[in-house]
Structures are given as structure tokens and as C-alpha cells.
Amino acid sequence: MADVTPSSVVSPGSTFDLGAFVGDLNVEDDLGSDDVSLEGLQQELEECKNDEVVANILSKGTKLRDYTKGVENDLRKVELDSIQDYIKESDNLVSLHDQIRDCDSILSHMETLLSGFQAEIGSISSDIKILQEKSMDMGLRLKNRKVAESKLAKFVEDIIVPPRMVDILVDGEVNEEYLRTLETLSKKLKFVEVDPMVKASKALKDVQPELEKLRQKAVSKVFDFIVQKLYALRKPKTNIQILQQNVLLKYKYVITFLKEHGKEIYNEVRAAYIDTMNKVLSAHFRAYIQALEKLQLDIATAEDLIGVETRSSGLFTRAREPLKNRSAVFALGDRINIIKGIEEPALIPHIAEASSLKYPYEVLFRSLQKLLMDTATSEYNFCEDFFGEENVFYEIFSGPFGVIDEHVNTILPNCYDAIGLMLMILIIRQHQLIMSRRRIPCLDSYLDKVNISLWPRFKMVFDMHLSSLRNANVRTLWEDDVHPHYVMRRYAEFTASLIHLNTEYGDGQLELNLERLRMAVDDLIIKLAKNFPKPKLQTVFLINNYDMTIAVLKEAGPEGGKIQMHFEELLKSNTTLFVDSTSSNDKPITVAEVEPLVKDFASRWKAAIELMHKDVITSFSNFLCGMEILRAALTQLLLYYTRLSDCIKRIVGGSALNKDLVSISSIMYEIRKYSRTF
């Protein structure tokens, strides 16, 4: 064994070189065996490098072989000590061994018991599973039996005919209970007719004959009942709508039953109702129209045209209506109120007749259409609710439509009231909107047809007015009077009325026709003006007529448009023509020529202004228009006199006339006096 040198001892706190100690190991005895392998030794040494025990041993410089012997001695000593301890505790160990053996025996017995329990539990689980399967099977059977019982019960209930039901249908009165029983019979009849399984059942053979007898009896009974109710509609003074709502609609299921189980009888009832209502309503409308005709006020005839003279000529001229009844031929006036009160109730003829009232035809027309509209709405709703089909309505109203068409077709060819025709067109338009708001389509085609028949008649009457202006006899129409002509007033009122009515309707064709009418009246008024001998009178005549026309158009509302603007331009141009009476003169002017003119003006200029004032007042029917013309004339006078004064200043020796010139301020003062009177 090699000696430990002092240099190999590692002092505390310093590191040691493991390789230095390993290099001194004598492993020759171990290398002699082929079984010993040193592979991995270096790795193990590296792992032990940091081991505290190994490091401690190596730090003391102890040989490994000596250290190993020491460890073996320690182990042997510990083993001997352990043996002594075991000997000392041998009795306890024997006791412990016995206890463990007893426990093992007990545990073995418990294992046997638990194994038995496990087997029994497995058997019980199997039994529970079997019971569960049986329970599910029984539940399914019970469910199937309940379903079968329910279907069988329903089948029995649906197919049998209770005695009480037979008694009610055969001997009972038609009331609410009868209707409920009738509904039950309908369900049974549908049940045996629809379900193929029922048709194949033996029970049906017994029940079907009885059901058929009940069906026939019920159909016969409700037919007699409903026909009696329908006959009540024919009684005079019967309130049809109350009877429909309070009586017939209560039994509308009767119609449903007949439609489903007695089609032929239903068709008879349907035909009877249509025939009854057709006759009743036709008679009502015919009587109403006859009563309205007694209230009609004739507004216009074929001779009441714009361009026709008012004077009667001829022995057989038709006697005219009083003027108060004929004022509406051309002017709209209060007739527009018929549109404002479009939804007011229809006239009651006997009340109006008792009051000796007469109405323009559009009032009667509105009442007739209003009655038709309300009656049709009520009947349409009833037919939809009672019969469930709208064709019944149209078959019923073929009669009333015919009666009204006959009346309208009689009136229109003799109607020459263009304003009334336009009002009727607007009435139809408003009624179409009302029916649209009610969502009742039954009068759509009828109202369209009436509207289509009114427009051609209106166009024809309008063309008659147009022709009367184009073909007017100027010689017979002319009057030696510069005030507005009655033909022009007719035109103004007629045009203003149509413009006002067309504002809401907005018909472009009517606007074109009004333009044609305006051109015709322009030509006529110019021809009438040319009959005056003096240009001044011609101008005054035109100014008065244009001014009156503008005033009438303005009174009708702000809708005058292009026509009003046209006449305003004509008024302006003729006013300028009336005021502007000067003429040009290019000859040189001398004092001798101007002096008489200046002195004459100075002597009577105030009287001349007063004379102009009186002339305007008497010449123009519209005071405001006359004052405007006077103001324009005085302004023009001031302008011309100012020019005269400037000319005198440029004449040689003109300063000699300054003493006779009227000052501009004096003339302006006089003009202001008349301005204040306006």
C-alpha cells in the first residue's frame, strides 16, 4: 500500500483532486478477473466527486480497502445488535404472528361471505332487469290499450246518433241549440264520408241510413226556416240592414250546412236571396230617383253659353229662370260646398220637398251615389259574411246598377251645366277614395264607368262654350259702354271656377282646353273694342275687362296661373298705352309757339287735373284700378312738364317765359292731394 504524503492531504476549505487519489488505488487484485469491467468507472467517479461522504473519506486520506473493512465490521456489529433485539422481542413477535394469522382467518371468512353476497346481488340485479322489462312491456300494452280505447270511444261518439239529437233535429225549433246540434250532425256526416276505415266498418251499415234521414230532415227544415226569413225582406218599410245583422247573421251556419250537405237546396236559397234583394233594392233606388227628380233645379240649357247674347229675340224664346237661380251657370260660388261635405248623409227627399227646396243636379247626384255607396258597402260585407262569396253581391246589384245607369243616361244628354259636370267628376273621384279607405272593391268598375261617361259630356259642353266665343256675333254683342262686358265676366267666372276645381284633380287636358278658351275670348274682346270710335275708349274698354277678369281670377284663389299672368300683362300694356299720349316732333321750337301753351297750362292746370280725376272715376268700374291709372297719368304729366321746362331753358329768349311757368313743387303738391284721397 502506498504511503500518504503530506502533499496529498487536503486542508479544510480547499478543493481536492479526485484523480490524485484514484491514481494511487491498487486494483491489480480486481483486474485479475475477467468478469470485472471498468467501463463507466470514470463516470461514476465524476458523480461521486461531489458526494459528501466520499469527499470526507478522501480528505482524511483513508485507504478504500481499510474503509471498507471498517464498514463491514460496523455492519456485523449492527447485525449482532439486531439479533439480540429480535431475541428480546421474540415473544411479542410470536404474539403478533398469531394475531396476524387470526386476522387472516377472519378476513378469509369475510371474503367468503362477501363472495356470497356478490352472487346474490347479481341474481337480484338479473331479477330486477327481468321485472323492468316486464314493466315496460306492460306499460306499452297499457298505452296501446288506452289509445285503442280513446279511438274506439271517439269512433263510437262520432258515429252513434243519440236520441236527444234526433229529437232536436226532427221536432225542435230552429234556435241556438238547434244550430249546435246541426253542427254536430255535420261533423258526423263528414266523419263517415272522409275516413276510409269508417266506411269499411260494420257499424256504419247500421248508422248510415239514420244519418241520411237526419240530413234530409235537417236540410228541409232549415230551408223552410231561412226562406221565411228572406220573405221578411220583401215587406214594405222593412229595415233591411237591421234584419240582416240582427236576424240572418245569427243563422249563417244554416247556409254553411246547406253548402256542405245540401248543395241543391243551398243554390235555391242563394237564388231566392239574390232575386229578393235585386227586386227590393232596384225598387228602392227607382223610388229614390223619382223623388230626387222633383227636387232638381235646372241651372243651364243649350242657350246658356259664354258667347250667347242675353237679350231675348224672337217670339218663341224660352222663358228664362229668375236670375237668382241662374247665377251658377258660370260662377262656382257656394256649389263648391258639395265637395267639402262629400261624406254628409244623403238627402231625404220628402223632407226637402216639404221645405220646397230645389238643388242643382250635382247635389242630387252626390246623394244618389252616397246612398249607393253605403248600401253597397253594407250588402257586400253581408254577402261575404253570410254566403262567403262576393259573386252574390254582383248578381244582386245588377238590378240597382241598371236603374241608376238608366237615370244617368237620361240626365247626361240634357245636361249643359259644365260646372255641375265637373263637380260630378270630382264627386266620383272622392267616392273612389272613400271606397278605397273602406277597402271595399265592389264599386270599382261601376265608378270607373260613370267617370268615363262624364268626361265626354263635359268636353262636349265645354266645346259648345268655346264655339260660342269663336262664332259670336260681334255686332249684336257690342254695347256702347266701356264697362266690363257680360261675356267677359261670364268667361272670367267660368274659367276661375274650372281652375279652382281642377286644382285638386290636376287634369292636364283641361288646362289645354282653358288655354283654347282664353285665346277665343282674347279675339272676341279685341273685336268688341274696335267698335268704339275713339282709341281712348277702346283702351278704356279693354282695361276695364282685363281688370275685372284678373279680380275674378284672384277671388277664386291663387290658382290663376298662366291665364292670370296673361291678363295682367295685357292690363299693364293697355294702361301704359292709355297714359302715354305724347307724340314726337323734330321741328325747331320758338318762343312764339311755346308761349300760348305755357300760359294756357298756367291758367287751367288745376282744373285739368280735377277733370282727369273725374274722367277716371267715371270711366273705370274698379275704383282701385282707376286710381292706379290716375296716379300713373299724373306722374306722366309731371314728367312731361319737367321736359317742357327743360326745353324752354334751351330756347333762345325762353327766359322771358319763366314768369308764366308753374313750379314743379306746386304740381307735386297738387298730385299729393289726390294721392292722400286714395
Side-chain angles (χ1 to χ4, degrees):
M1 182 178 295
D3 297 331
V4 179
T5 62
S7 61
S8 63
V9 178
V10 181
S11 62
S14 64
T15 62
F16 65 91
D17 186 5
L18 182 60
F21 292 99
V22 174
D24 293 337
L25 291 175
N26 187 2
V27 292
E28 294 177 357
D29 295 339
D30 297 329
L31 293 176
S33 176
D34 295 335
D35 297 333
V36 177
S37 176
L38 298 178
E39 184 180 357
L41 177 60
Q42 184 65 31
Q43 183 179 355
E44 292 181 5
L45 290 174
E46 289 295 330
E47 292 176 353
C48 293
K49 179 179 179 179
N50 297 323
D51 187 274
E52 185 179 353
V53 177
V54 174
N56 188 31
I57 294 171
L58 294 177
S59 66
K60 293 179 181 180
T62 306
K63 295 293 184 176
L64 291 177
R65 193 177 299 279
D66 294 340
Y67 189 78
T68 303
K69 288 181 180 181
V71 171
E72 288 179 352
N73 290 332
D74 291 340
L75 289 173
R76 189 174 293 111
K77 182 180 178 181
V78 170
E79 181 181 1
L80 292 175
D81 291 339
S82 298
I83 292 171
Q84 291 298 321
D85 291 338
Y86 181 79
I87 292 172
K88 288 179 182 180
E89 296 294 332
S90 58
D91 293 338
N92 293 333
L93 291 173
V94 170
S95 175
L96 178 61
H97 177 70
D98 292 339
Q99 290 177 3
I100 291 173
R101 187 175 55 190
D102 292 340
C103 287
D104 186 60
S105 175
I106 293 170
L107 291 173
S108 176
H109 180 64
M110 290 180 67
E111 181 181 7
T112 304
L113 289 175
L114 291 174
S115 298
F117 288 157
Q118 184 179 9
E120 290 179 1
I121 289 172
S123 176
I124 292 171
S125 176
S126 177
D127 292 342
I128 290 174
K129 186 175 181 181
I130 292 171
L131 290 173
Q132 186 178 11
E133 291 176 353
K134 290 181 178 179
S135 175
M136 291 176 63
D137 183 60
M138 292 175 66
L140 182 60
R141 290 180 181 180
L142 178 61
K143 183 179 179 181
N144 290 339
R145 288 181 180 180
K146 286 183 177 179
V147 171
E149 181 183 2
S150 174
K151 290 186 176 181
L152 183 60
K154 187 176 185 308
F155 174 81
V156 172
E157 181 182 356
D158 289 341
I159 202 169
I160 64 169
V161 181
R164 174 63 179 167
M165 176 180 173
V166 176
D167 292 341
I168 293 174
L169 292 176
V170 174
D171 300 323
E173 295 182 359
V174 179
N175 50 27
E176 292 183 2
E177 183 183 17
Y178 191 92
L179 293 179
R180 290 194 297 269
T181 308
L182 200 64
E183 190 172 356
T184 303
L185 175 62
S186 176
K187 291 179 180 179
K188 293 182 182 296
L189 291 171
K190 291 178 182 178
F191 178 71
V192 301
E193 291 173 358
V194 175
D195 197 330
M197 294 182 63
V198 176
K199 292 182 178 180
S201 65
K202 293 182 179 180
L204 180 61
K205 296 179 181 179
D206 296 333
V207 175
Q208 192 169 20
E210 299 301 322
L211 285 175
E212 179 60 22
K213 291 178 182 178
L214 282 177
R215 184 194 70 81
Q216 294 177 357
K217 180 63 178 177
V219 166
S220 174
K221 190 163 188 172
V222 297
F223 172 74
D224 294 338
F225 173 80
I226 204 71
V227 167
Q228 289 180 355
K229 298 299 181 184
L230 296 182
Y231 283 154
L233 295 170
R234 299 186 179 184
K235 294 180 180 179
K237 299 183 180 180
T238 298
N239 191 317
I240 295 175
Q241 293 173 356
I242 291 179
L243 184 62
Q244 289 174 336
Q245 298 297 322
N246 296 346
V247 178
L248 292 179
L249 282 181
K250 288 173 59 178
Y251 301 99
K252 70 177 181 178
Y253 183 74
V254 169
I255 300 300
T256 303
F257 181 83
L258 291 177
K259 189 184 295 186
E260 294 174 348
H261 305 292
K263 193 66 176 179
E264 293 181 0
I265 301 300
Y266 166 76
N267 290 333
E268 291 183 21
V269 172
R270 182 180 183 276
Y273 179 80
I274 291 173
D275 180 67
T276 298
M277 292 304 297
N278 187 303
K279 293 178 179 177
V280 169
L281 292 179
S282 296
H284 282 183
F285 276 100
R286 188 174 289 108
Y288 188 72
I289 289 171
Q290 290 173 354
L292 288 180
E293 289 175 346
K294 298 177 182 178
L295 306 177
Q296 183 173 347
L297 174 65
D298 292 331
I299 297 295
T301 65
E303 290 80 23
D304 291 317
L305 302 173
I306 297 175
V308 174
E309 60 175 322
T310 57
R311 293 187 294 270
S312 299
S313 60
L315 182 62
F316 300 103
T317 303
R318 179 183 65 87
R320 295 281 183 169
E321 293 279 354
L323 183 60
K324 63 179 181 179
N325 292 337
R326 298 182 59 250
S327 60
V329 176
F330 306 103
L332 181 60
D334 293 337
R335 298 174 73 181
I336 188 62
N337 293 334
I338 195 68
I339 303 299
K340 298 176 182 178
I342 193 68
E343 293 199 63
E344 291 184 0
L347 286 175
I348 302 176
H350 68 271
I351 295 179
E353 188 175 3
S355 303
S356 300
L357 296 175
K358 298 285 185 179
Y359 301 94
Y361 181 71
E362 70 268 10
V363 176
L364 310 181
F365 180 80
R366 186 206 69 88
S367 289
L368 177 60
Q369 301 302 320
K370 170 67 172 168
L371 180 64
L372 172 64
M373 190 168 59
D374 293 343
T375 305
T377 298
S378 175
E379 189 63 31
Y380 181 84
N381 288 331
F382 175 78
C383 291
E384 279 279 299
D385 199 3
F386 194 66
F387 290 99
E389 52 177 310
E390 62 179 15
N391 287 336
V392 174
F393 169 85
Y394 294 106
E395 293 182 42
I396 290 171
F397 266 74
S398 62
F401 284 157
V403 172
I404 296 173
D405 287 344
E406 180 184 358
H407 164 71
V408 173
N409 293 334
T410 302
I411 292 293
L412 283 185
N414 299 311
C415 181
Y416 297 93
D417 180 11
I419 304 298
L421 287 166
M422 193 59 174
L423 285 169
M424 285 188 274
I425 291 172
L426 293 181
I427 288 169
I428 290 296
R429 173 61 178 162
Q430 292 297 319
H431 283 175
Q432 287 175 325
L433 295 176
I434 292 171
M435 294 301 287
S436 177
R437 289 195 294 268
R438 293 180 182 181
R439 297 183 179 180
I440 303 295
C442 60
L443 293 183
D444 288 354
S445 58
Y446 166 79
L447 293 175
D448 287 340
K449 183 179 70 174
V450 175
N451 190 47
I452 291 172
S453 66
L454 288 172
W455 272 110
R457 183 62 191 178
F458 170 80
K459 181 64 167 57
M460 193 198 79
V461 175
F462 186 92
D463 288 344
M464 290 174 64
H465 285 286
L466 181 61
S467 298
S468 72
L469 290 174
R470 289 176 174 174
N471 303 324
N473 188 332
V474 177
R475 184 169 51 83
T476 58
L477 287 177
W478 184 77
E479 296 176 349
D480 190 11
D481 187 357
V482 295
H483 290 87
H485 198 278
Y486 62 85
V487 169
M488 198 64 178
R489 177 169 292 279
R490 289 177 183 173
Y491 162 79
E493 293 175 345
F494 185 74
T495 301
S497 300
L498 293 183
I499 290 175
H500 185 65
L501 293 177
N502 196 44
T503 300
E504 183 176 350
Y505 198 83
D507 183 68
Q509 190 64 36
L510 178 59
E511 293 177 358
L512 294 176
N513 286 326
L514 287 174
E515 186 65 18
R516 293 164 58 206
L517 194 70
R518 195 269 305 162
M519 294 171 64
V521 83
D522 275 351
D523 293 341
L524 178 60
I525 203 67
I526 294 296
K527 292 176 182 178
L528 289 172
K530 289 180 179 179
N531 282 274
F532 289 96
K534 297 180 180 180
K536 175 186 174 182
L537 295 178
Q538 295 177 7
T539 305
V540 170
F541 175 75
L542 292 175
I543 289 174
N544 282 329
N545 280 279
Y546 294 151
D547 179 68
M548 178 274 299
T549 302
I550 294 170
V552 172
L553 291 175
K554 286 182 177 179
E555 287 177 6
E559 305 91 2
K562 293 188 299 182
I563 295 178
Q564 182 175 320
M565 291 174 60
H566 170 78
F567 285 108
E568 287 174 348
E569 289 294 329
L570 291 176
L571 176 62
K572 182 178 179 182
S573 62
N574 280 275
T575 299
T576 303
L577 183 63
F578 177 80
V579 172
D580 191 3
S581 59
T582 180
S583 60
S584 60
N585 189 352
D586 297 332
K587 291 173 59 179
I589 302 174
T590 63
V591 174
E593 291 175 325
V594 175
E595 184 178 8
L597 179 63
V598 171
K599 291 182 177 180
D600 180 66
F601 182 84
S603 64
R604 61 187 188 91
W605 68 275
K606 289 185 179 181
I609 291 177
E610 178 64 27
L611 184 61
M612 288 172 61
H613 177 260
K614 291 180 179 179
D615 188 29
V616 167
I617 291 297
T618 57
S619 296
F620 300 101
S621 55
N622 188 327
F623 177 77
L624 293 178
C625 177
M627 290 300 99
E628 287 294 330
I629 293 173
L630 177 62
R631 184 182 291 110
L634 293 176
T635 302
Q636 196 73 7
L637 170 66
L638 182 61
L639 177 62
Y640 289 157
Y641 190 75
T642 302
R643 291 179 184 175
L644 175 64
S645 300
D646 293 338
C647 290
I648 292 173
K649 292 177 182 178
R650 292 193 294 268
I651 299 174
V652 178
S655 59
L657 300 176
N658 288 341
K659 63 181 185 300
D660 296 319
L661 286 175
V662 180
S663 65
I664 300 298
S665 59
S666 299
I667 298 175
M668 290 184 63
Y669 175 78
E670 196 68 23
I671 291 175
R672 289 195 190 97
K673 284 172 54 179
Y674 287 100
S675 298
R676 285 194 293 269
T677 63
F678 301 157

